[in-house]
């Protein structure tokens, strides 16, 4: 009754509380993202334990941590182990996983005599085992260890030697269909200082923004969407406040729309520090 006398219905008060909570979450998540950015000192991807490299730049394998994997074999410039993946209907597909000293993964299938799959990517081996579309080869492909059978690759030291740079064929298709959300970004023209929006909806869109960001003399005339000049007006501040986040239209950065680096926004042919670090050291 007291709420009705005050002229402010309960529903309206609940809505007001929800709006306040929403704005608070929006602010705190944005602050957390900014702290992570500052705390990473430029690092843009989750790193794993690094492998040792020789004077020639080739990977040095640690046999002590690998010899517990059954079928381990050391070649001149590679290691090889027994591996497999399990189809719930047809059973196990076995093969041999070879990793060369560049970090490149090859699998030769031995599911039957004369199997034509020789030196294929882990994703191709998955497809051969009728597990196409899963994209979870680190979990689906296993090895046998001395004290445990069918250990997923991600639980073994083998993934330490995987590099995105050397395995482009394994993830290229995945990168094109990956659905990681990337918010819109703005870039200042070096001539007129106006801000121009880049919509990061696809990998080619992200590549356009990435190249523009690394271009120290980028101008409005290089905007990739349609022809503009420095005389064209920039977006109104009210429009620039919206960066496409699906959680909140006025989000300034949250775990939904901010990406620290993935195979969709890092490029094997780019020489910037972020891309080089990701391609060499990011988790597969």
């Amino acid at each position: 009754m007291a709420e009705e006398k005050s002229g402010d219905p309960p529903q309206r008060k609940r809505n007001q509380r929800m709006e306040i909570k929403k704005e608070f979450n929006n602010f705190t998540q944005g602050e957390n993202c900014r702290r992570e950015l500052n705390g990473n000192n430029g690092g843009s991807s989750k790193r794993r334990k690094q492998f040792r490299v020789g004077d020639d730049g080739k990977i040095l394998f640690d046999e002590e941590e690998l010899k517990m994997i059954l079928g381990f074999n050391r070649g001149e410039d590679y290691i090889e182990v027994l591996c497999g993946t399990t189809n719930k209907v047809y059973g196990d597909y076995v093969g041999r996983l070879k990793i060369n000293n560049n970090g490149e993964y090859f699998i030769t299938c031995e599911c039957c005599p004369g199997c034509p799959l020789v030196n294929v990517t882990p994703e191709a081996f998955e497809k051969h085992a009728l597990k196409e579309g899963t994209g979870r080869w680190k979990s689906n492909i296993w090895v046998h260890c001395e004290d445990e059978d069918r250990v997923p690759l991600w639980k073994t030291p083998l993934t330490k030697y995987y590099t995105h740079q050397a395995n482009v064929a394994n993830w290229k298709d995945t990168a094109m269909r990956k659905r990681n959300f990337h918010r819109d970004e703005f870039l200042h023209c070096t001539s007129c200082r106006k801000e121009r929006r880049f919509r990061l909806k696809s990998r080619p869109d992200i590549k356009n923004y990435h190249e523009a960001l690394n271009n120290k003399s980028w101008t409005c005339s290089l905007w990739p969407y349609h022809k503009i000049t420095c005389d064209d007006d920039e977006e109104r501040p009210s429009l620039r406040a919206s960066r496409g986040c699906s959680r909140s239209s006025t989000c300034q950065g949250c775990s939904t729309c901010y990406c620290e680096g993935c195979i969709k926004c890092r490029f094997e042919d780019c020489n910037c520090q972020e891309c080089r670090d990701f391609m060499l050291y990011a988790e597969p």
Side-chain angles (χ1 to χ4, degrees), residues 86-126:
T86 302
N87 183 295
K88 292 182 179 179
V89 177
Y90 300 107
D92 292 345
Y93 285 68
V94 296
R96 299 194 69 86
L97 169 64
K98 180 188 289 186
I99 308 173
N100 64 23
N101 55 10
N102 289 319
E104 193 169 4
Y105 273 42
F106 300 104
I107 295 181
T108 295
C109 184
E110 298 176 350
C111 63
C112 63
C115 179
L117 252 69
V118 178
N119 290 341
V120 299
T121 66
E123 280 210 346
F125 183 60
E126 264 193 316

Side-chain angles (χ1 to χ4, degrees), residues 66 68-69 105 143 145 151-160:
L66 296 173
M68 41 79 73
I69 301 175
Y105 273 42
V143 295
C145 296
V151 181
L153 284 181
W154 69 269
K155 287 186 176 182
T156 71
L158 292 169
T159 54
K160 182 174 73 174

